Amino acid sequence: MRRRPFLDQRRPSFKRRWQQRPWWVRLALSLLLALACVLLLAVLLGSPDPGASPSTSTASSGSGATSSPLLRQRSYLEGITDGLNMTDEMLNARSFSRQLMDQIHLAKTYVVAAKEANNLQFAAELSAQIRWAQSILAHAAAHGGTVMEQEAEKAIRDMSVLLFQAQQLRYDSGITIMKLKGQILSLEDKSKAEAEKSTKYGQIAAEELPKGLYCLGVRLTMEWFKNPELQRKFSDRSPAVQSNLRDNSLYHFCVFSDNILAVSVVVNSTAINSKHPEKTVFHLVTDDLNYAPMRAWFAMNDYRGVTVEIQKVEDFTWLNASYVPVLKQLQNAATQKFYFSGSGSRGTPVKFRNPKYLSMLNHLRFYIPEIYPELQKVVFLDDDIVVQKDLSELFTINLNGNVMGAVETCMETFHRFHKYLNHSHPLIRAHFDPDACGWAFGMNVLDLIEWRNKNVTGIYHYWQERNADHTLWKLGSLPPGLLAFYGLVEALDPKWHVLGLGYTTVDSATIKEGAVLHYNGNMKPWLKIGMEKYKGFWDSYVDYSHPLIQQCFMR
């Protein structure tokens, strides 16, 4: 079989075709091309820079004799004036600095994602590139100049390669955001767990009896039983002292506590700041364990002539489970288990698992008219307060027919009724405004005549009986107090009662103007966890020169 002859059918090249043309055609085309180049160059030299101002264009034309005849292309960075700072450059979307910063922010996110995926080598490469980009920006900022094109170009290109690889590894924004969100949720859970631990340990510390207080109680008990003279001071009281306990022209205060040192600070601070301490009467109620040491302490110390009466709650025989609903509930094993084990469908906050909430001393405030049947007006004080002003004016305040005078605490929304009560319960929802203003126990003026007329104790009993299943509120004396005194509270000037020294920061000017400082919260001033910046107000009313105080607290 014969082969066909090979035919070269390729198109001739440009060079071959150009050489095949006549010489005069090649000459004419060359002259036309040269003329076109000259015209184009003339147009470019005569047109102004679009980014330059008119004044700049004029100046350029005036100095044409000294300008180079060749046009050099100018970059953005070369057109920036010397006075432009890094902030101005960063605000411009075309700047190299802006591009580097955007890449750095994105690369930092990918570093986190790479570490989460255990791709440590890639994370290290990204971190190194980030440091390089940061060094370029830092050098430019330190020298007051701009990022140079030659160094920025390579850094941007190399970072772009790594960012592209990150996208190939599926470290995209969506996945990264989800991972970061997961990390945030995990940290929130850890933070919540740590906060619960802190609350729990703080509660334990608040419940523990300090060694000094225990020592003081033991030594005072020994003094009471070995010193008949102290016992005679309370048993052989003069008729004048006995009369003071029922004289309504005097200033009567009541405190219910088992903390001897705390009560002594309340009495001492009141006496020192009183204009008429001889007209001041303190009615103290404690439990059987602290009855003897409490009497021993106040028999050994005189507070500027203040009259002091001490009783124990066990002597109130009328205070029994058949009359007092809360006492019946507190004696119930199921109730004690509910609060101390934290059982129940919704659980019980740690702060409510405090023995004080199961102490009758905490609920005794609702029976003040029955404890002191002959008195007409009383100021109730908690044992964790310090008095730094004369309180006699409280007894002249007009309560306008109300039963109680108290400082309101609704400056913040969480101190309103819905914070303390279960407003999802129909009984609460039907009778009480959830946005009603709360108020504070701790310093309260009580008109016992109006109390008896309006049967506040009976109202308190009604709500306690309705809360036998713990559905209206958890525990404590404030929630039932809000219900029992609802519509019967006269708002007092906030300066009379300054709260928060046991758990938060209080304005120094407010403290200075306050008449009563209240260490409400777990950080009591007699505990090691007490807030140091507020302990001084309390310590100034403790007689650390007393022999028993030195023996128990100064070791």
Side-chain angles (χ1 to χ4, degrees):
M1 183 175 179
R2 295 180 61 185
R3 292 185 178 180
R4 287 186 175 183
F6 174 76
L7 297 178
D8 188 2
Q9 297 179 349
R10 293 178 298 174
R11 296 180 58 185
S13 65
F14 174 80
K15 182 178 180 181
R16 181 181 301 175
R17 282 184 286 133
W18 175 261
Q19 292 177 351
Q20 291 176 354
R21 297 181 183 275
W23 65 270
W24 55 271
V25 174
R26 294 199 303 270
L27 179 61
L29 291 175
S30 299
L31 291 175
L32 289 175
L33 182 60
L35 182 60
C37 291
V38 172
L39 292 176
L40 178 60
L41 184 59
V43 171
L44 292 176
L45 288 174
S47 60
D49 187 357
S53 61
S55 59
T56 306
S57 301
T58 306
S60 298
S61 62
S63 57
T66 59
S67 300
S68 173
L70 298 178
L71 177 66
R72 182 173 58 88
Q73 187 177 1
R74 300 168 62 194
S75 68
Y76 164 75
L77 287 175
E78 293 170 334
I80 296 179
T81 61
D82 294 335
L84 184 63
N85 59 29
M86 287 298 294
T87 302
D88 294 331
E89 186 180 3
M90 289 298 298
L91 294 176
N92 193 312
R94 297 181 298 162
S95 72
F96 291 119
S97 302
R98 176 65 174 270
Q99 295 178 52
L100 286 172
M101 286 300 298
D102 290 344
Q103 286 186 331
I104 288 172
H105 290 313
L106 186 58
K108 286 181 177 180
T109 304
Y110 287 149
V111 168
V112 175
K115 289 181 178 180
E116 286 292 320
N118 204 28
N119 193 347
L120 301 182
Q121 180 179 356
F122 184 66
E125 292 178 3
L126 272 174
S127 299
Q129 191 65 33
I130 290 173
R131 289 192 295 271
W132 182 25
Q134 289 175 335
S135 67
I136 293 174
L137 293 172
H139 182 270
H143 292 79
T146 60
V147 176
M148 302 303 295
E149 181 179 5
Q150 53 269 29
E151 61 182 356
E153 182 180 2
K154 187 175 187 309
I156 292 173
R157 184 181 65 253
D158 292 348
M159 182 71 84
S160 299
V161 172
L162 291 178
L163 295 179
F164 177 75
Q165 291 178 0
Q167 294 176 355
Q168 296 302 308
L169 293 171
R170 299 197 178 278
Y171 298 154
D172 57 18
S173 302
I175 294 176
T176 303
I177 290 173
M178 292 301 295
K179 289 182 177 180
L180 293 176
K181 185 177 180 181
Q183 289 180 337
I184 292 173
L185 293 176
S186 176
L187 290 174
E188 287 179 349
D189 291 340
K190 290 180 180 179
S191 176
K192 184 178 179 181
E194 292 301 322
E196 290 179 353
K197 287 182 182 179
S198 176
T199 302
K200 180 180 179 180
Y201 295 144
Q203 189 67 47
I204 293 173
E207 294 174 13
E208 291 297 319
L209 180 66
K211 182 177 67 175
L213 291 181
Y214 176 77
C215 169
L216 182 62
V218 171
R219 291 186 177 274
L220 284 171
T221 302
M222 295 170 61
E223 288 290 331
W224 176 260
F225 286 107
K226 75 178 184 181
N227 191 341
E229 183 64 26
L230 294 179
Q231 300 179 28
R232 278 195 294 270
K233 281 192 175 183
F234 275 92
S235 58
D236 299 336
R237 288 198 158 186
S238 65
V241 173
Q242 295 291 339
S243 176
N244 286 346
L245 301 179
R246 301 182 298 273
D247 189 349
N248 283 293
S249 65
L250 303 181
Y251 308 128
H252 294 268
F253 300 88
C254 61
V255 183
F256 308 139
S257 173
D258 57 1
N259 189 324
I260 300 168
L261 189 62
V263 172
S264 72
V265 169
V266 176
V267 176
N268 191 31
S269 61
T270 305
I272 289 176
N273 293 289
S274 175
K275 296 177 180 178
H276 303 285
E278 72 282 358
K279 294 184 178 181
T280 301
V281 182
F282 266 93
H283 304 268
L284 311 179
V285 180
T286 187
D287 54 18
D288 189 53
L289 180 64
N290 293 280
Y291 184 52
M294 187 84 76
R295 287 188 294 172
W297 178 263
F298 284 98
M300 296 169 64
N301 298 279
D302 177 72
Y303 296 96
R304 299 183 65 198
V306 170
T307 302
V308 178
E309 177 192 31
I310 301 176
Q311 298 173 280
K312 60 179 177 178
V313 67
E314 288 80 6
D315 287 341
F316 302 146
T317 56
W318 49 269
L319 208 61
N320 51 63
S322 62
Y323 173 62
V324 181
V326 70
L327 188 58
K328 182 179 180 180
Q329 295 170 16
L330 293 177
Q331 293 176 352
N332 190 330
T335 298
Q336 296 180 11
K337 180 181 179 182
F338 177 84
Y339 291 111
F340 282 101
S341 68
S343 60
S345 59
R346 288 173 293 179
T348 305
V350 176
K351 68 177 183 178
F352 290 126
R353 303 174 204 171
N354 191 325
K356 77 173 185 177
Y357 290 113
L358 298 181
S359 170
M360 196 57 212
L361 286 174
N362 192 46
H363 296 268
L364 206 58
R365 63 194 68 190
F366 295 103
Y367 300 94
I368 292 176
E370 296 173 79
I371 300 173
Y372 311 110
E374 296 176 315
L375 297 182
Q376 298 176 357
K377 183 170 283 190
V378 171
V379 171
F380 169 79
L381 297 174
D382 268 339
D383 63 355
D384 55 350
I385 64 103
V386 167
V387 177
Q388 56 178 14
K389 304 284 184 181
D390 178 59
L391 300 183
S392 59
E393 187 181 337
L394 289 172
F395 293 86
T396 62
I397 291 178
N398 184 4
L399 298 182
N400 297 311
N402 289 304
V403 175
M404 175 189 289
V407 171
E408 294 181 333
T409 58
C410 56
M411 287 73 72
E412 303 290 345
T413 180
F414 55 83
H415 285 136
R416 298 186 182 273
F417 269 43
H418 62 76
K419 171 65 178 179
Y420 306 99
L421 304 170
N422 177 20
H423 273 272
S424 63
H425 195 288
L427 194 59
I428 296 294
R429 189 168 60 249
H431 292 85
F432 302 99
D433 179 8
D435 292 325
C437 190
W439 43 267
F441 269 134
M443 195 293 297
N444 307 96
V445 184
L446 302 171
D447 187 331
L448 302 187
I449 297 177
E450 290 294 333
W451 184 314
R452 298 182 184 102
N453 291 338
K454 293 181 169 61
N455 191 24
V456 174
T457 301
I459 299 173
Y460 164 72
H461 284 172
Y462 171 84
W463 289 110
Q464 280 289 357
E465 291 170 352
R466 298 300 179 278
N467 194 45
D469 56 357
H470 319 296
T471 57
L472 303 186
W473 68 87
K474 286 291 185 182
L475 196 61
S477 57
L478 182 56
L482 295 176
L483 303 183
F485 291 96
Y486 186 67
L488 302 175
V489 178
E490 180 72 14
L492 300 180
D493 191 315
K495 72 178 182 180
W496 285 111
H497 189 186
V498 177
L499 296 127
L501 278 75
Y503 75 95
T504 188
T505 300
V506 184
D507 180 65
S508 58
T510 302
I511 292 176
K512 184 178 180 180
E513 293 297 322
V516 172
L517 306 181
H518 196 170
Y519 292 83
N520 56 313
N522 282 336
M523 293 182 280
K524 305 299 184 186
W526 55 84
L527 299 175
K528 289 185 177 180
I529 62 173
M531 301 178 74
E532 290 294 336
K533 59 183 176 180
Y534 300 139
K535 277 189 175 182
F537 302 112
W538 192 83
D539 283 337
S540 61
Y541 295 104
V542 178
D543 183 11
Y544 286 105
S545 65
H546 195 284
L548 292 182
I549 296 292
Q550 289 188 340
Q551 292 175 20
C552 293
F553 292 91
M554 305 299 287
R555 290 182 177 181

